C-alpha cells in the first residue's frame, strides 16, 4: 500500500504574507490603502480601484457558511480515503469569502448560514491550512 501526498497550495510572492499569518494562527487579507476594499485572494491590484498599495490586516476568523458541497467521489487519489468530505465557502464577518473544510461537524449537520470560526491545521513547515468549525453557542 502506498500513499499519495495531497497537493498543497502554491505559495506565491503575493500570497506569502497570507501563509506567514496562518502559521501564526491568524487569518489576514490585504486591505487596499486607497479604497479600503479587503482583497482576497491576494493580488497585485485592487479589483475595485486598481491601486497597488495595500497593507495586511488580521480578520476575526468568524463567519458563516455561504455554500458547501460534500464530495463523495474525489477526482484526486490523495483524497479517496477522506470521502465523503466537505468543502465550504465561508463568508467572513468582514466580507471576504474563502474555500475551506468544516471540521468538528458531521456533513449531515452542515447548513448554509451556520456560524463558524477559524481553526488552523499545520500541514508542514510552510503550509498551515485554515479550516472552520461551528461556533460554540
Ligand atoms: Zn482599492
Amino acid at each position: 500500500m502506498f500513499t499519495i501526498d495531497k497537493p498543497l497550495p502554491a505559495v506565491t510572492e503575493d500570497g506569502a504574507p497570507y501563509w506567514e499569518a496562518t502559521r501564526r494562527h491568524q487569518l489576514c487579507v490585504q486591505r487596499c490603502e486607497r479604497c479600503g476594499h479587503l482583497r482576497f485572494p491576494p493580488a497585485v491590484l485592487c479589483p475595485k480601484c486598481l491601486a497597488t498599495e495595500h497593507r495586511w490586516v488580521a480578520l476575526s476568523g468568524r463567519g458563516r457558511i455561504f455554500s458547501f458541497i460534500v464530495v463523495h467521489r474525489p477526482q484526486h487519489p490523495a483524497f479517496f480515503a477522506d470521502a465523503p468530505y466537505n468543502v465550504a465557502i465561508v463568508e467572513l464577518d468582514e466580507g471576504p469569502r474563502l474555500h475551506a473544510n468544516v471540521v468538528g461537524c458531521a456533513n449531515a449537520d452542515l447548513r448554509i448560514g451556520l456560524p463558524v470560526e477559524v481553526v488552523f491545521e499545520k500541514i508542514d513547515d510552510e503550509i498551515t491550512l485554515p479550516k472552520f468549525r461551528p461556533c460554540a453557542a
Side-chain angles (χ1 to χ4, degrees), residues 29 53 61 64 76 105 117 121 136:
V29 299
E53 305 85 359
R64 291 177 183 275
H76 191 291
C105 181
E117 60 190 2
E121 181 178 330

Side-chain angles (χ1 to χ4, degrees), residues 61-132:
R62 297 173 74 93
R64 291 177 183 275
I65 294 179
F66 178 79
S67 186
F68 68 93
I69 60 169
V70 176
V71 178
H72 292 270
R73 297 181 61 120
Q75 299 300 301
H76 191 291
F79 295 91
F80 285 175
D82 292 348
Y85 63 90
N86 69 71
V87 179
I89 299 174
V90 172
E91 185 172 80
L92 299 167
D93 287 351
E94 295 87 351
R97 294 177 187 161
L98 63 135
H99 293 81
N101 303 121
V102 178
V103 297
C105 181
N107 289 333
D109 294 334
L110 294 171
R111 66 180 198 283
I112 290 171
L114 182 72
V116 291
E117 60 190 2
V118 72
V119 293
F120 294 93
E121 181 178 330
K122 180 177 179 177
I123 305 299
D124 62 22
D125 287 343
E126 182 173 49
I127 300 295
T128 294
L129 291 176
K131 298 191 173 189
F132 288 83

Side-chain angles (χ1 to χ4, degrees), residues 21-43:
T22 63
R23 287 197 293 273
R24 298 190 308 267
H25 290 194
Q26 280 189 314
L27 204 52
C28 290
V29 299
Q30 296 170 312
R31 178 194 301 260
C32 177
E33 290 283 61
R34 186 185 295 166
C35 77
H37 179 66
L38 294 175
R39 290 153 50 174
F40 189 84

